[in-house]
Amino acid sequence: MENVRFSIIENDLKRNSDGGIDNEVFYQRSISSESNSDTIFSDEAHEILLLQQQHQVLWENKEIEETLGQLNNAAAVAHMVKTGTFTDLIPASNDAQLALLYCSVSGCVENVSYLLDHCGSDPKCCDPLGRTPLHFACCRGNAHIAKVLLDRGADPNRWDAKKEVTPLHCASSAKSVECILLLLKRKAHINIGLEKRSALHFAIDRNAVDCVETLLKYGADPNTPQVYTETPLHTACALGFTKCVELLLNYGADVRSQFGEGKLTALHLAAENDYVDCVRLLLEHKADVNCRNASHQTPLHLACLSQSIETVELLIKHGANVNAVYRDGRTALHAAIVKQSRCLDCCTALLKAGANVNKADNYGYTPLHIAALNEFSNCVYAFIEHGADITARTDGNVSALSFIVRRTPEVIPKLMLKFDGSIKVNDHEIGDVDCEIKLDFRWLVPPGALERGETELLLSLIEVGQKRVLMHPLCETFLFLKWRRIRKFFLMSLLYHAIYVMLFTMYIVGVYVHSCEKGIECQAPGYILTVGYFVIILNLLLLGKELFQMAHGLQGYAKYWENWLQWAIIFGVLLCVTPEILSVDELEKVPIWQHHVAAVVVLLVWVELMMLVGRFPIFGVYVQMFTKVAVNFGKFLLAYICLLIAFGLSFSVLFNDYKAFKNITWSLLKSITMMSGELEFEDIFYGDVVVKYPVTAHFIFLSFVLLVTVILTNLMVGLAVSDIQGLQVSASLDRLVRQAELVSRLESLFFSRLLRGAPTRLLKLCKRSALLRTSRNKLLFVIRPNDPRDTQLPEDIKLNIYKLVAERRDRNLSIRRRKLESNYSMFQRSLQRQNSNSNKQKDRSPIRNNVDDCCTNKAPTRTDHDTLLRPRSATNVPNVMMGETDLATKLKNYVNSISDVRSEIQMLKAQVNELGAKIDKFNDSCGKKLNFTVEELCRIKMVLDQKSAMRSERTFKV
């Protein structure tokens, strides 16, 4: 199922399997400009593209020549046509007809007229494919030859042999308005071939707007009489010819008509090919924006499949249903995730329009599943930002988080940042008593998971191997609060198991812990009968509880070994406590095998009680450490079991007279016991039994002492408990995991399908007391870490929250410091540039020196505080949270010094601006004075010139 579902989106990709279409045509219509290998076309769009490609040129010259060349005497006739000599032609012969066909193709009007008038050529003759001279003339757009042929009786409605084209089709394909008008005047049927493809189709194929307008003007039908056939509007929209679409719509083209088996409308064809202008025209002419094709797809679905973002936005603007469902229950948001080129843009547009981000298809896949499956990390994060449920599961019980971890792991750190951002602090200083920290748990409880419980996200994290996230302060606090609300139900279960264990222990002690000798009456105490019946009743209740849990979810039930332990206890108790035993007066009649079963079951019962007690946060770490060490010790023992077997067999050979080594099985057990130091050296070598093989026995025994008792025992103990601190961390994490599983298990019982018949009020009461969102603060929680009166959380959890907030504050201060230093250096460089430009002006040199001195004096101040703003780790946070630390005081002083520096820089900048304004004003006044001086000099020069001219005139007169 999963392998099939992985390619479900690829079923929407139509591959280009026909080699007859040019790559350039598909390149223009490909999804992404980066790749033209995968194109998304419906079968109907493929058909239109094929016909449009074929009708670019109806018949090539080479093909016509090859067809005519197959006729008799074709070479000689072709030579006559080229030379223009028809004297050898026999009137009304086949050669005369062939010559007329050649002349119609070549386009010589005089030769055509000559052949018709003097050689008896028939204007209705045709080639082997049924094409007449009028076909060839109209195909070449030669109106003069067409007129001559029509005047001589050529049929304007003549079909070719395949009944595909008439002369009117040829004229439309040739974009010849003159030929079209000429044919229409000679009674050509304008709608001929409308059942398949009319002349209007051929004109649209060539985007011949004038021809289309002429045909429509003279009565061409823009619709077809038969349903599900290709109308001219389908052709124009599939090819994106906007002018043709506009003309067709103005002349009454039906926007509702459907085409082909896919039942595509014109809006479908325009939307899937991203022809925005065509889509706009169709919508303006009342096209149904939510119309469906045979696959129940709307135009919006096809636009999303082809990544047509402009079309998607236009359809949404005109009211397209973004949550409409098509094949396999998928929505437009599912369809948008097909290629990464413009996937994010389409998804963003749909999300803004209100698309349901958690809508699952028939296989249980949400858009988040498919985005993660296709490794579109940007889309994954966008969906999460818009409230996608990362705990949603497919029909195969695979969560979206599982896909995210495996396919887009780069999203996980962003989720952690979301967790960090859910812990906020108010405006007070972190060290103040009034400092409040708010924890928002809404990220841990997705909206889609409300009907499955509040710990679904935590369980999903555990399932995908991200259980370390549970140690985040937000998750740890959430688990603590959940445990505090749900522990009442656990305490009831613990009390039940404690009573069950105590009664069963009383029964075991009263029945089986007796040494009955022959000839002596051995009876059980009087309370055994009552206790036995109580044990049976409690055991049956336990059996009913386990059956209920199995019916609630068998797969999840079977993966916990504690459930298997419960079944072992249930069956063991049923074997130990039977009505036959309860009615037995003498304990000697109790079978031996029941003693074996009772010994095992009483051990398992108390172990189960210990594991239940370990669910408490207080004792959980220690129980988990015990379990961890026991597992590790068992692994090491299995690794070295061969060595123990070897010594056990050797001891069986060497000490076969010793009781403990007579049996091979007990010899192995004795060897394992001797690991603890119980060697019994004196009893073996100096006891009543003589050692048969003294030298070898001493050597093997010494080897056992050195290799097993000294080396192996110490090695196993050291390896099992080598890293105590790491063991504590691991045990703490395991405790959180087990606590989350326990809370989820208890919580899921209230949402079980098996309790739908239970009293509604009782279920509501249980949910209200167990769920965190029904509490007073709902999913928001506020603490005061510095207030000793605030005892809502344990000190270790408060300390972790405080560390997280402090580290984030330090990072923010470090970022601000770097930004301030960058701004300061930028301002310093700008001052230096201004000073370098003012070197030419002597009066600005003192100011430059002052600025440089000021800047050089501030630089050491900046570097002196670098150590104060170094980010600190979580381990540097003081245990005492009251008051301000020395580092906080230094930071305050540093911030104050920075503010002083900034104020001084602002003052300096203001002074520089003021001085610049004065200099500009001085320059303006100097410029004005210089202009006035130049004007005065020019005027004086003119006066002097006039005086010199007058003197020269007087001198000339004299």
Side-chain angles (χ1 to χ4, degrees), residues 71 86 127 252 285 391 490 547 638 814 826 838 855 861 897 921:
L71 300 176
F86 301 106
D127 68 349
H285 284 78
T391 64
F490 176 75
L547 290 175
L638 288 176
S814 179
M826 186 182 299
S838 63
C855 293
T861 305
S897 64
K921 186 177 180 181

Side-chain angles (χ1 to χ4, degrees), residues 138-139 166-177 179-180 183 211:
C138 293
C139 184
T166 65
L168 187 60
H169 290 85
C170 297
S172 300
S173 179
K175 300 184 179 181
S176 178
V177 177
C179 289
I180 292 174
L183 291 168
C211 296

Side-chain angles (χ1 to χ4, degrees), residues 108-301:
C108 184
V109 181
E110 292 79 6
N111 292 341
V112 171
S113 300
Y114 179 82
L115 290 171
L116 290 172
D117 294 338
H118 300 90
C119 297
S121 298
D122 186 5
K124 297 180 180 180
C125 66
C126 61
D127 68 349
L129 298 180
R131 297 173 292 191
T132 64
L134 187 58
H135 282 93
F136 291 129
C138 293
C139 184
R140 297 296 183 268
N142 197 325
H144 299 290
I145 296 179
K147 185 177 183 302
V148 171
L149 293 170
L150 288 170
D151 291 340
R152 299 300 193 280
D155 186 3
N157 297 312
R158 176 75 175 267
W159 287 101
D160 64 345
K162 296 181 180 179
K163 290 192 175 183
E164 291 181 349
V165 294
T166 65
L168 187 60
H169 290 85
C170 297
S172 300
S173 179
K175 300 184 179 181
S176 178
V177 177
E178 190 176 357
C179 289
I180 292 174
L181 293 174
L182 182 63
L183 291 168
L184 293 176
K185 289 179 181 179
R186 300 304 176 93
K187 307 302 181 181
H189 299 317
I190 194 169
N191 290 319
I192 190 169
L194 186 61
E195 295 80 7
K196 294 183 178 179
R197 286 177 66 84
S198 65
L200 188 58
H201 288 89
F202 280 68
I204 293 172
D205 284 340
R206 297 299 307 280
N207 196 19
V209 180
D210 296 336
C211 296
V212 172
E213 187 175 6
T214 301
L215 290 170
L216 291 171
K217 181 179 179 182
Y218 282 87
D221 192 352
N223 302 307
T224 54
Q226 297 180 354
V227 295
Y228 306 133
T229 55
E230 178 189 352
T231 65
L233 186 61
H234 291 134
T235 305
C237 290
L239 300 174
F241 298 150
T242 308
K243 292 292 184 182
C244 296
V245 172
E246 186 176 4
L247 287 172
L248 291 169
L249 292 173
N250 291 336
Y251 278 88
D254 188 3
V255 296
R256 300 169 300 172
S257 59
Q258 295 177 323
F259 171 41
E261 295 181 357
K263 298 182 180 180
L264 297 177
T265 65
L267 188 58
H268 284 97
L269 293 169
E272 75 170 335
N273 291 285
D274 197 17
Y275 296 131
V276 183
D277 295 332
C278 296
V279 172
R280 185 179 292 106
L281 288 172
L282 291 169
L283 292 174
E284 289 175 355
H285 284 78
K286 309 301 180 183
D288 185 8
V289 72
N290 292 315
C291 55
R292 302 273 185 161
N293 62 7
S295 299
H296 299 284
Q297 292 172 317
T298 65
L300 182 62
H301 293 135

Side-chain angles (χ1 to χ4, degrees), residues 946-958:
Q946 291 177 359
K947 290 182 178 180
S948 60
M950 290 175 63
R951 288 176 183 174
S952 60
E953 289 178 357
R954 290 176 183 174
T955 305
F956 178 74
K957 289 180 181 179
V958 173

Side-chain angles (χ1 to χ4, degrees), residues 4 28 243 445 459 462 574 629 634 657 732 827 874 901 914 948:
V4 174
Q28 295 172 359
K243 292 292 184 182
V445 187
L459 284 183
I462 296 170
L574 290 177
V629 171
D657 293 334
S732 300
F827 177 70
V901 171
E914 184 179 358
S948 60

Side-chain angles (χ1 to χ4, degrees), residues 402-695:
S402 177
F403 286 149
I404 292 173
V405 172
R406 287 185 292 171
R407 296 299 187 95
T408 56
E410 61 272 15
V411 178
I412 300 299
K414 296 181 180 180
L415 288 178
M416 295 302 100
L417 291 178
K418 288 293 182 183
F419 287 175
D420 292 345
S422 299
I423 301 178
K424 301 177 181 178
V425 64
N426 60 2
D427 297 333
H428 290 83
E429 289 290 337
I430 297 180
D432 292 347
V433 178
D434 296 331
C435 175
E436 290 184 351
I437 298 178
K438 298 180 180 179
L439 291 88
D440 189 354
F441 300 123
R442 284 177 292 183
W443 269 101
L444 296 178
V445 187
L450 293 180
E451 296 302 323
R452 303 191 301 269
E454 295 177 338
T455 55
E456 186 70 20
L457 176 58
L458 301 182
L459 284 183
S460 299
L461 289 169
I462 296 170
E463 178 186 344
V464 299
Q466 299 291 325
K467 59 183 180 180
R468 282 195 169 273
V469 179
L470 297 182
M471 300 188 72
H472 191 280
L474 186 71
C475 300
E476 196 173 2
T477 306
F478 178 77
L479 268 179
F480 176 80
L481 296 177
K482 285 291 298 180
W483 167 254
R484 194 167 61 181
R485 289 188 64 81
I486 212 167
R487 64 184 174 187
K488 59 179 76 69
F489 302 102
F490 176 75
L491 289 174
M492 293 170 59
S493 176
L494 180 62
L495 179 61
Y496 167 80
H497 279 83
I499 295 174
Y500 176 72
V501 170
M502 296 305 299
L503 291 177
F504 181 69
T505 303
M506 290 174 62
Y507 179 82
I508 293 295
V509 171
V511 175
Y512 295 100
V513 185
H514 287 282
S515 179
C516 298
E517 299 179 358
K518 294 183 179 181
I520 301 176
E521 184 179 1
C522 186
Q523 295 182 351
Y527 64 85
I528 292 299
L529 184 63
T530 305
V531 171
Y533 281 114
F534 271 110
V535 170
I536 292 176
I537 294 172
L538 293 177
N539 196 46
L540 293 177
L541 291 177
L542 184 61
L543 176 62
K545 187 192 79 167
E546 296 301 319
L547 290 175
F548 176 79
Q549 291 182 359
M550 287 181 62
H552 178 64
L554 181 60
Q555 184 177 2
Y557 177 85
K559 67 181 182 180
Y560 295 109
W561 66 270
E562 293 95 335
N563 296 326
W564 295 98
L565 180 62
Q566 289 279 10
W567 281 104
I569 292 173
I570 290 171
F571 286 115
V573 171
L574 290 177
L575 292 175
C576 295
V577 186
T578 58
E580 291 80 5
I581 297 178
L582 295 177
S583 61
V584 171
D585 295 334
E586 296 182 1
L587 297 179
E588 294 179 352
K589 298 180 181 181
V590 177
I592 299 299
W593 64 267
Q594 285 189 337
H595 287 78
H596 295 283
V597 174
V600 175
V601 174
V602 73
L603 173 65
L604 297 180
V605 164
W606 281 95
V607 170
E608 172 66 14
L609 184 61
M610 182 191 73
M611 300 306 296
L612 285 176
V613 172
R615 301 289 179 88
F616 276 99
I618 302 175
F619 311 109
V621 175
Y622 308 112
V623 175
Q624 285 302 119
M625 289 178 66
F626 169 80
T627 306
K628 190 77 173 178
V629 171
V631 171
N632 291 337
F633 196 85
K635 291 179 182 179
F636 299 144
L637 186 62
L638 288 176
Y640 303 118
I641 192 66
C642 295
L643 183 63
L644 297 176
I645 293 175
F647 278 108
L649 294 173
S650 297
F651 290 154
S652 297
V653 173
L654 297 174
F655 307 113
N656 51 14
D657 293 334
Y658 195 73
K659 294 181 180 181
F661 296 113
K662 284 184 177 181
N663 188 288
I664 296 179
T665 304
W666 308 134
S667 175
L668 178 61
L669 179 62
K670 177 61 177 177
S671 300
I672 295 175
T673 307
M674 290 168 64
M675 289 178 59
S676 62
E678 188 180 345
L679 299 175
E680 300 181 1
F681 178 79
E682 294 182 356
D683 294 339
I684 294 174
F685 289 98
Y686 301 104
D688 298 334
V689 181
V690 179
V691 179
K692 295 181 180 180
Y693 317 101
V695 178

